[in-house]
Amino acid sequence: MDNTNYSVVSEFVLLGLSSSWELQIFYFVFFSVLYIVIILGNLLIIIAVTSDSSLHSPMYFLLGNLSFFDICQASFATPKMIVDFLSEHKTISFSGCIAQIFFIHLFTGGEMVILVSMAYDRYVAICKPLHYMIIMNQTTCTALVVISWAVGLVHTLSQLSFTVKLEFCGPNEVDSFFCDLPRVVKLACIDSYITEILIVVNSGILSLSTFSLLVSSYVIILVTVWFKSSAAMAKAFSTLAAHIMVVVLFFGPCIFIYVWPFTTYPVDKILAIFYTVFTPILNPIIYTLRNRDMKAVMGKIAAHYLRPRKVAEMPFVARICLH
């Protein structure tokens, strides 16, 4: 007999955020606006970083890649969630469900490493300023981005290796707006306890190790500037405040959902929304509003594309009409 595991479930039903039609209409409008702002805000950062020579530095190079991760992270499930608010039957195919699991762990794993890379960049800039451009050269920055994608890929493939071999032959209702791995594994027809432990360990190692590296780098930076001067301390804390805020907002929900013992809570859906929708919109807001250079460049970009065209730039016929 063929002992290969195979699924008799062809699709999963996503229960979404609410069964109330009025709330779903509100969610449709609310999350549609949020998604548009996420895409436009992060695209604006990428355009600013790539188009303005004053932002061609390691810090902004990494920030641009963080914005790209945010666009990807917000796009793997949010568009379908928005469409599902207007759909009576919220279903997703088995392959589509596996794809969502693949992409969420790819992007979240990669973003964790990008955040560590940004913390390392600030560590070198503050603690070793004379060697900054030597250490954070183009090769190093490119390597950090490649490592981010590689870690995300290894992380998501290892998670899928635990999941695709499970048999799904009965319940197919996922109590979430996307195929959240802990909730999907709960639907397996066989005992998934060992798989749950492996998934928790996998996510726990990545989340806690990157979080520990981030906290350690921030502590080292603050301790280093503590002995210099109060002005240096204030400047360093101002620079790191945005990074620390992003780290707390991103890692908090991830650690609660994927490192906590494998039990699902109603608040998990709120936390899932937080790191799939709210974090990608908070990153551009936090990093741009607290950064003088980014605000200046974005102001120039906005002025270039939004200001009224001068009369001299108008077509000849239009100028004749004005006179």
Side-chain angles (χ1 to χ4, degrees), residues 224-254:
T224 301
V225 298
W226 177 271
F227 295 102
K228 292 184 178 180
S229 66
S230 57
M233 180 68 176
K235 183 178 179 180
F237 185 78
S238 176
T239 302
L240 295 177
H243 295 253
I244 294 172
M245 190 179 301
V246 169
V247 167
V248 172
L249 294 175
F250 179 75
F251 277 88
C254 290

Side-chain angles (χ1 to χ4, degrees), residues 44-105:
L44 184 57
I45 290 179
I46 295 173
I47 293 171
V49 169
T50 55
S51 64
D52 196 284
S53 59
S54 65
L55 299 182
H56 291 175
S57 67
M59 181 179 73
Y60 294 112
F61 174 76
L62 295 174
L63 177 58
N65 279 276
L66 176 65
S67 291
F68 182 74
F69 270 108
D70 283 335
I71 291 174
C72 294
Q73 188 171 320
S75 300
F76 85 95
T78 305
K80 176 169 175 52
M81 175 184 69
I82 293 171
V83 172
D84 282 346
F85 286 134
L86 302 180
S87 175
E88 184 177 355
H89 301 288
K90 304 173 179 59
T91 60
I92 185 171
S93 65
F94 181 83
S95 58
C97 185
I98 295 299
Q100 284 193 341
I101 294 174
F102 173 84
F103 286 120
I104 184 175
H105 289 281

Side-chain angles (χ1 to χ4, degrees), residues 188-215:
C189 297
I190 60 176
D191 184 8
S192 60
Y193 178 76
I194 299 299
T195 302
E196 293 174 7
I197 295 298
L198 291 174
I199 291 173
V200 168
V201 170
N202 189 329
S203 296
I205 290 175
L206 179 61
S207 301
L208 292 178
S209 59
T210 51
F211 184 73
S212 299
L213 287 172
L214 285 166
V215 172

Side-chain angles (χ1 to χ4, degrees), residues 145-166:
V145 173
V146 171
I147 291 172
S148 299
W149 284 103
V151 170
L153 183 62
V154 171
H155 171 61
T156 194
L157 290 178
S158 60
Q159 294 288 57
L160 282 181
S161 67
F162 304 140
T163 309
V164 294
K165 294 182 179 181
L166 295 175

